[in-house]
Amino acid sequence: MAAVLMREMVGETLRELRMSSGKTLRDVSGQARVSLGYLSEVERGHKEASSELLNAICGALEVELSEVLRLTTLRVGAHENVTHLPVRTPRAAVA
């Protein structure tokens, strides 16, 4: 099973919330006082957001931190409940 990376799950949740609110990266980065590039990295799961940064982003998105964490928990749970089927390796050709 592939490892669940919290930074990716949090990033996906933040991106989903931002897009559903109709805000751009530029809108949120300006309101949260974080660089546009860094916010993009957080959303793509390439950077780990500090608690201070998460609070600032939540403020810009007008959503409670607890809601971001709840949605992220649901996302992680859905990922964990996926049944990974074994992949068969091809058999050697019979001569």
Side-chain angles (χ1 to χ4, degrees), residues 6-16 42-43 45:
M6 285 303 295
R7 69 174 188 262
E8 291 177 353
M9 300 289 110
V10 169
E12 289 175 14
T13 300
L14 292 173
R15 174 175 278 149
E16 183 178 279
V42 168
E43 282 192 359

Side-chain angles (χ1 to χ4, degrees), residues 12-94:
E12 289 175 14
T13 300
L14 292 173
R15 174 175 278 149
E16 183 178 279
L17 288 168
R18 178 182 58 77
M19 293 180 77
S20 69
S21 73
K23 294 186 177 192
T24 66
L25 274 171
R26 187 171 309 284
D27 295 334
V28 175
S29 70
Q31 292 171 353
R33 293 195 163 102
V34 61
S35 77
L36 191 142
Y38 196 82
L39 178 58
S40 176
E41 293 282 309
V42 168
E43 282 192 359
R44 289 184 285 143
H46 296 177
K47 297 287 183 186
E48 193 92 39
S50 68
S51 58
E52 291 88 357
L53 179 58
L54 278 176
N55 276 314
I57 295 169
C58 288
L61 292 172
E62 300 174 18
V63 64
E64 296 293 328
L65 176 60
S66 59
E67 180 65 2
V68 171
L69 297 176
R70 186 186 72 76
L71 293 170
T72 301
T73 298
L74 292 174
R75 187 179 302 276
V76 170
H79 182 79
E80 290 175 340
N81 289 327
V82 171
T83 302
H84 297 275
L85 300 175
V87 178
R88 281 194 209 160
T89 55
R91 295 182 185 191
V94 177

